[in-house]
Amino acid sequence: KNQVEQSPQSLIILEGKNCTLQCNYTVSPFSNLRWYKQDTGRGPVSLTIMTFSENTKSNGRYTATLDADTKQSSLHITASQLSDSASYICVVSMNTGFQKLVFGTGTRLLVSP
Amino acid sequence: DTAVSQTPKYLVTQMGNDKSIKCEQNLGHDTMYWYKQDSKKFLKIMFSYNNKELIINETVPNRFSPKSPDKAHLNLHINSLELGDSAVYFCASSQNLGTSGTHNEQFFGPGTRLTVL
């Protein structure tokens, strides 16, 4: 079954600290892996997209890694800010002739002052 | 200059009613999608359209009928609303259907929170 699992489910960190979110997937055939940030009451916004051949990608203070062999990804947030408080969703795109996204349930991050 | 817009943002209605949600994108994309986000915040694809043609229909009840008058618009009409239809519905668009090895980023609208009483 095509699934994307994320951990932890929720996380509270102090402002300025770093954190790492995990994603494991069983989606096949794999096309790419995305991390989205979803603020409360808003739609998801893309942070990074990685294809099979890309094993790391950065977007400012966000750095995503991908290990396609073990089917794992992580999102590292450096020097967290209050505005980082949001849900972070790992999404794997299947290639079935066209791309179809399989969403994880997300990690809810709260950055505390 | 909103990229993907949806109306209304909130929709409260009684069981059994018929309602529509509208979506428009000004990105010049060929492909549009509807997603449902349930109370556990899990997003799931409902439909995708490419150049006004239905591509994905994920076993959604036929009470849901998407309509794409042109490739910039994908509206969602729901008949005989049920309590279980309460959710946040997101519209999204991407350049095209995407092929293996490409990024084909999807851009999401702000969502429509539907509450069925």
Side-chain angles (χ1 to χ4, degrees):
Chain A
K1 188 178 179 183
N2 293 305
Q3 283 186 317
V4 177
E5 295 183 349
Q6 293 186 241
S7 61
Q9 208 168 23
S10 61
L11 183 62
I12 302 174
I13 62 172
L14 290 175
E15 187 179 8
K17 297 296 186 184
N18 304 336
C19 67
T20 300
L21 313 180
Q22 302 290 345
C23 173
N24 298 322
Y25 63 92
T26 57
V27 177
S28 180
F30 175 90
S31 179
N32 57 60
L33 185 143
R34 309 151 185 240
W35 282 94
Y36 282 88
K37 178 187 179 188
Q38 185 175 19
D39 292 310
T40 300
R42 292 179 174 258
V45 174
S46 180
L47 295 174
T48 64
I49 303 176
M50 291 178 290
T51 59
F52 189 88
S53 59
E54 297 170 300
N55 55 25
T56 187
K57 186 163 275 191
S58 291
N59 177 0
R61 294 178 297 100
Y62 301 102
T63 299
T65 65
L66 172 64
D67 185 333
D69 291 331
T70 61
K71 298 188 177 182
Q72 295 179 326
S73 175
S74 66
L75 180 69
H76 187 74
I77 305 175
T78 305
S80 60
Q81 300 176 358
L82 296 179
S83 59
D84 293 332
S85 295
S87 287
Y88 291 84
I89 307 173
C90 177
V91 184
V92 179
S93 176
M94 297 174 64
N95 177 34
T96 56
F98 48 84
Q99 291 195 353
K100 178 181 163 184
L101 302 187
V102 181
F103 288 77
T105 50
T107 292
R108 188 179 294 271
L109 174 67
L110 176 63
V111 180
S112 175
Chain B
D1 57 346
T2 306
V4 182
S5 59
Q6 296 177 227
T7 55
K9 189 165 175 60
Y10 299 97
L11 187 52
V12 181
T13 188
Q14 300 283 341
M15 256 192 337
N17 283 351
D18 303 338
K19 290 293 178 186
S20 292
I21 306 172
K22 295 186 176 181
C23 177
E24 176 181 1
Q25 55 96 3
N26 63 5
L27 298 166
H29 287 167
D30 287 343
T31 309
M32 296 185 72
Y33 311 81
W34 276 109
Y35 290 91
K36 180 180 180 181
Q37 187 170 44
D38 61 25
S39 58
K40 296 183 178 179
K41 306 298 184 186
F42 184 65
L43 268 155
K44 193 169 180 186
I45 182 78
M46 297 174 68
F47 301 102
S48 77
Y49 269 71
N50 187 63
N51 276 323
K52 304 193 298 176
E53 181 185 350
L54 178 65
I55 303 298
I56 295 175
N57 179 342
E58 283 291 298
T59 61
V60 177
N62 56 16
R63 298 182 295 104
F64 291 77
S65 52
K67 285 187 170 50
S68 183
D70 55 63
K71 72 175 191 178
H73 295 84
L74 181 61
N75 303 323
L76 184 64
H77 187 77
I78 315 170
N79 289 328
S80 303
L81 278 156
E82 300 177 356
L83 293 176
D85 297 333
S86 295
V88 182
Y89 292 84
F90 286 98
C91 177
S93 74
S94 63
Q95 187 69 55
N96 49 48
L97 285 171
T99 55
S100 181
T102 64
H103 290 165
N104 199 42
E105 184 174 345
Q106 289 192 19
F107 295 83
F108 285 79
T112 295
R113 181 175 292 277
L114 171 64
T115 303
V116 182
L117 303 175

